[in-house]
Every structure is written in structure tokens, then in C-alpha cells.
Amino acid sequence: MPSNGSDEAEPRWLSCAELESWMRFSAMVMKLQSALDADLQRASGLSLFTYLVLAGLSEAPDRTLRMTDLAVLGNGSLSRLSHAVAKLERKGWVRRRPSPEDGRITLATLTDDGFEKLRSAAPGHVASVRRLVVDVLAPDELHRLGEISTRLLDATAGGSSPGPGRRGSGDGDVPAACTGCGAPAPPWPDRRPVRRGDVPLGRTRAGAARGRRPAVAPAAVGAGRRRHGTP
């Protein structure tokens, strides 16, 4: 209890070990996002957020999503997304229109020019993801990172998160192979398939759905149902 006699519970302050881990993690998240953004800006003239918007649309049916869903996928506010999409519209990479089912809903569609822009930017982004994350970790470390990331994402979404050593959602949810690249699933007994919206993209599969070559080969952390590519 606090020393001032208040009925409020004493905060659960971090231990020295917990604080050290938290500081390292928070610094990594901020620096990694900044590094990925800088690499994209330098190589393709795209921000990381813009890349995620294009990549999110590329994996949607008909390359189309509701603006509200796209905001969640890009991990940004609707106002920020609207500003970004307006710029993409002026470049001819995205087109917006009212939903034919509900005029109050705005749909965003990735154009062919936008897909080609994403295709040209993706190899450099994947190289950055490999250099900064994938190739830094051993395979078992990378698989473990995916498991930890899933639990943290569940926590931020307000869901229940299984602790270490506990299964996430049962044997039936463990895929035999990656649905994106066909690679064998990792041997972790508690690994769950990564769900759409869990993590930002680093590759696209839209081309494959249309008989085209995918814009990028699989890249990273389980973001992709995605998901490959960003923290």
C-alpha cells in the first residue's frame, strides 16, 4: 500500500531484470522501425507505413479493403491512413470509392501501377529484414521470436495470451506447412498459425493469386500470415 494512506494498490514496479529486458526490447522496436523506414525511403521513396498500406492491399481479395480495415492492418489511425492514401491516389497507386453495399464505407483498391511500385520496393525491404532480423538469429531463435510476438500481439489486442510452455489454440491449429511459401512448419508444439492483421507485411502474394510471380519471397518473422517483414 502507498505510504500516503491511499486505498490505491501499490504499482507492480519492474525488477532490475525486468526493467533491463523492457528497455532493451523498447529500444529494439523503435530502432528497428526507424532503420526499416530509412532503408525504404532511401531505396524506394516509400515510408514504412506507406509500404505496409500497399502490401496490405496487395494481399486482400481483389486488392481491395475497407479503409477502416486497412488502418488496422497498417497499424495506424484512420486520419493518418486517409492522408497517406490521398497521396497514393495522386500518384495513381491506389483508388478509393464508396462501397456498393454501403455508401458510408470507403473502399481502397491497389492499382496495377501501385502493385508494380510495391514489386519494385519489396526486394530491398526483404533484404533489410534479413540483414536486421532474420540473418541475425538462429532458426530456433527466429521461431521462438514468432511465438513471443504472437503472445504480445494477443496482449495488445486484449486477448488471452498463453504463457511459456502452454499451447496457444490446440493441435488442430498447427499447420503442416506455411500457407505462403510451402515451407515445413516449425516443430514447436505450441506454435499457432499467424493470423491476418497480426503483424505488418514484408512480402506479397497478390501476384500468385492472379497467376503472377509473387512480388517478394518469404522473408521474416511470421508476420505474414503473413507475415514477413516488420516488427
Side-chain angles (χ1 to χ4, degrees):
M1 298 295 290
S3 58
N4 61 7
S6 169
D7 291 335
E8 295 181 3
E10 178 72 15
R12 295 179 58 213
W13 301 113
L14 301 181
S15 68
C16 291
E18 290 170 336
L19 180 60
E20 176 70 13
S21 295
W22 166 246
M23 293 298 292
R24 288 175 180 267
F25 173 78
S26 58
M28 178 277 296
V29 169
M30 290 186 288
K31 290 185 177 181
L32 182 57
Q33 288 185 329
S34 295
L36 291 171
D37 187 84
D39 285 352
L40 273 168
Q41 293 275 14
R42 183 166 48 251
S44 306
L46 296 176
S47 68
L48 179 59
F49 181 74
T50 299
Y51 181 92
L52 297 179
V53 169
L54 296 176
L57 288 172
S58 77
E59 293 198 346
D62 299 320
R63 300 179 187 168
T64 299
L65 283 173
R66 299 189 302 178
M67 288 287 287
T68 51
D69 293 338
L70 188 57
V72 174
L73 195 63
N75 196 29
S77 66
L78 189 57
S79 60
R80 182 186 182 190
L81 175 66
S82 297
H83 179 71
V85 170
K87 294 175 64 176
L88 295 175
E89 273 191 304
R90 291 194 291 269
K91 293 178 180 291
W93 296 343
V94 171
R95 182 177 64 255
R96 282 185 290 186
R97 59 185 171 84
S99 168
E101 287 78 23
D102 187 341
R104 297 170 298 178
I105 297 173
T106 300
L107 302 177
T109 300
L110 182 68
T111 67
D112 288 343
D113 287 345
F115 183 83
E116 291 307 317
K117 177 61 178 178
L118 177 64
R119 183 193 294 273
S120 68
H125 178 58
V126 171
S128 295
V129 170
R130 284 201 164 278
R131 175 174 56 85
L132 297 172
V133 180
V134 177
D135 293 342
V136 176
L137 302 175
D140 60 329
E141 292 174 323
L142 190 61
H143 290 319
R144 189 59 182 160
L145 176 63
E147 294 176 348
I148 293 170
S149 298
T150 296
R151 293 207 302 272
L152 295 177
L153 287 164
D154 282 348
T156 60
S160 59
S161 301
R166 295 173 56 192
R167 287 185 180 273
S169 55
D171 294 336
D173 288 332
V174 181
C178 174
T179 56
C181 64
W188 305 105
D190 59 342
R191 176 174 171 79
R192 295 178 294 163
V194 182
R195 301 160 302 183
R196 177 169 293 275
D198 277 352
V199 187
L201 307 172
R203 66 180 180 83
T204 63
R205 295 195 300 264
R210 295 170 175 77
R212 304 180 185 179
R213 179 183 177 186
V216 190
V221 189
R225 347 163 228 324
R226 214 193 134 182
R227 287 302 107 114
H228 303 292
T230 63

